[in-house]
Amino acid sequence: MRDAATGPEVGRWPTGRQADLIVAATAKDRRAAAAWQRWQGGGGDLQRLDAASSRLLPLLWSNRRAANIEAEALMLLKGCYRHSLWMTHRTLAGGVAALDTLEATGIPTLVLKGTAILARFPGQVGVRPINDVDILVRRADASRALAALEQDGWRPVNPTQRPIGVWHAVDLVRTAGERIDLHWSATVVPGDDRAIWREAQSGHVAGRPVKVPSATAQLLVTCVHGLGPDPAPVRWIADALLILEGDETIDWPALVGEARRRGVGIALSAALSGLRSQFDADVPASVPRQLAGWPARVLERLAHRAAGRTGRGSVYAVELHRYRRLRAINDSDRAHTFVSHCARRWGFESSTSLVRAGVRRAGQLARYGRAATWADLAQREGIKPPAR
């Protein structure tokens, strides 16, 4: 029964056939077979899935016995698994090369998200497809790490981006199939990662020793990535269920304390509540309530509501929360004002450039009912990609 006080928001969770597919791919008891039958009975077609759901097919293949999947579907699922295995190995090769570069520079690293799932559960390599390797470095090492990777041929996906002091991470590519996400904050809302580094554990990725977050920290990162700003596709739900069903016990008091310190308690509360009510996850009923209760800043609540909506006002609310968190952790590269933060966020050289563009945009809206995007306006202000 869903708790009305802490239940997940309508519209931010999978329903119907997509929810059945997740249960069929993750449940280890009779629920898997029942969900698979519902999915098929509702007109489910493995060859006509949305992109997010199709990423669950390798996991569905691994759970084929519990789901009691018939022979006709197994050939397609096995093909999805083999393709995922090949793509994941190629992606991991690029990630391992980046890890080696950072290690040679003397920069400690820790892997996150899907890569951490692979490190914690070695048998999931083909089951858990990844498009990039998420690497965390300490905030003090961010500039040096980015420079070392760029010297080794990695380039930002967005060359006009000035990420440090604004974002939590930057996407880097080198060649086809080589993509990494370099983090200096474990969560999309910037936070102090000292506890995550302190509790880090050992794992292996593609035969290479790596450091991974504890199961408690990994659950935090997974859930906040799933329902925080820039929400992730539904694959995060399967990841969270894998973590909860793993051998390591979750330290619930530590999880609550860390989420509150990072300003992500509301997002984590919604995620855990939904996992418990919709997917029967082993989450104590008291934990979402503790996270959803005070103390929590009004801005955090506003940012969480805005994260699931569209519109420029929602973006500003999320960015204001991000900027306040950068101030809270005393990020030395942060902008001095929220206006200058927004200028850097949308690619402007200065606050003055942003104000000029804002006036131009307002005039376009008043005259034509439409306006150029912030990215186009930033380019008109003379911002050019850095020299390669």
Side-chain angles (χ1 to χ4, degrees), residues 236-289:
W236 76 269
I237 297 173
D239 288 346
L241 293 173
L242 280 173
I243 296 167
L244 287 166
E245 293 171 2
D247 295 333
E248 187 179 345
T249 302
I250 302 297
D251 186 341
W252 297 109
L255 181 68
V256 171
E258 182 66 17
R260 285 180 170 173
R261 282 191 294 273
R262 301 180 77 93
V264 294
I266 304 302
L268 182 59
S269 172
L272 293 177
S273 179
L275 290 170
R276 184 175 185 274
S277 63
Q278 295 200 14
F279 297 97
D280 293 329
D282 187 15
V283 176
S286 61
V287 172
R289 295 194 188 100

Side-chain angles (χ1 to χ4, degrees), residues 299-311:
L299 183 57
E300 180 187 342
R301 296 178 183 274
L302 178 63
H304 176 66
R305 288 180 179 274
R309 300 178 181 178
T310 57

Side-chain angles (χ1 to χ4, degrees), residues 140-204:
D141 293 329
S143 296
R144 194 158 57 100
L146 186 55
L149 290 168
E150 288 182 330
Q151 189 173 0
D152 196 35
W154 295 89
R155 291 289 180 266
V157 172
N158 181 358
T160 64
Q161 196 177 55
R162 298 166 58 193
I164 299 173
V166 178
W167 302 94
H168 70 293
V170 60
D171 287 323
L172 302 171
V173 294
R174 191 166 65 170
T175 61
E178 290 188 318
R179 183 164 184 155
I180 63 174
D181 200 3
L182 180 68
H183 292 247
W184 43 90
S185 173
T187 53
V188 65
V189 176
D192 186 339
D193 293 328
R194 283 179 294 182
I196 293 178
W197 284 98
R198 186 171 58 249
E199 303 297 330
Q201 301 170 351
S202 298
H204 286 82

Side-chain angles (χ1 to χ4, degrees), residues 166-167 229-230 298-325 337-348 353-355 357-359 361-362 365 371-375 377:
V166 178
W167 302 94
D230 306 318
V298 172
L299 183 57
E300 180 187 342
R301 296 178 183 274
L302 178 63
H304 176 66
R305 288 180 179 274
R309 300 178 181 178
T310 57
R312 184 62 60 187
S314 296
V315 174
Y316 289 140
V318 171
E319 287 305 322
L320 180 57
H321 182 46
R322 197 193 312 264
Y323 173 67
R324 289 289 299 271
R325 294 307 304 164
T337 66
F338 180 58
V339 174
S340 56
H341 171 87
C342 289
R344 290 178 59 183
R345 162 69 168 81
W346 281 289
F348 292 90
S353 298
L354 174 64
V355 172
V359 172
R361 183 180 175 85
L365 285 170
T373 66
W374 285 117
L377 291 168

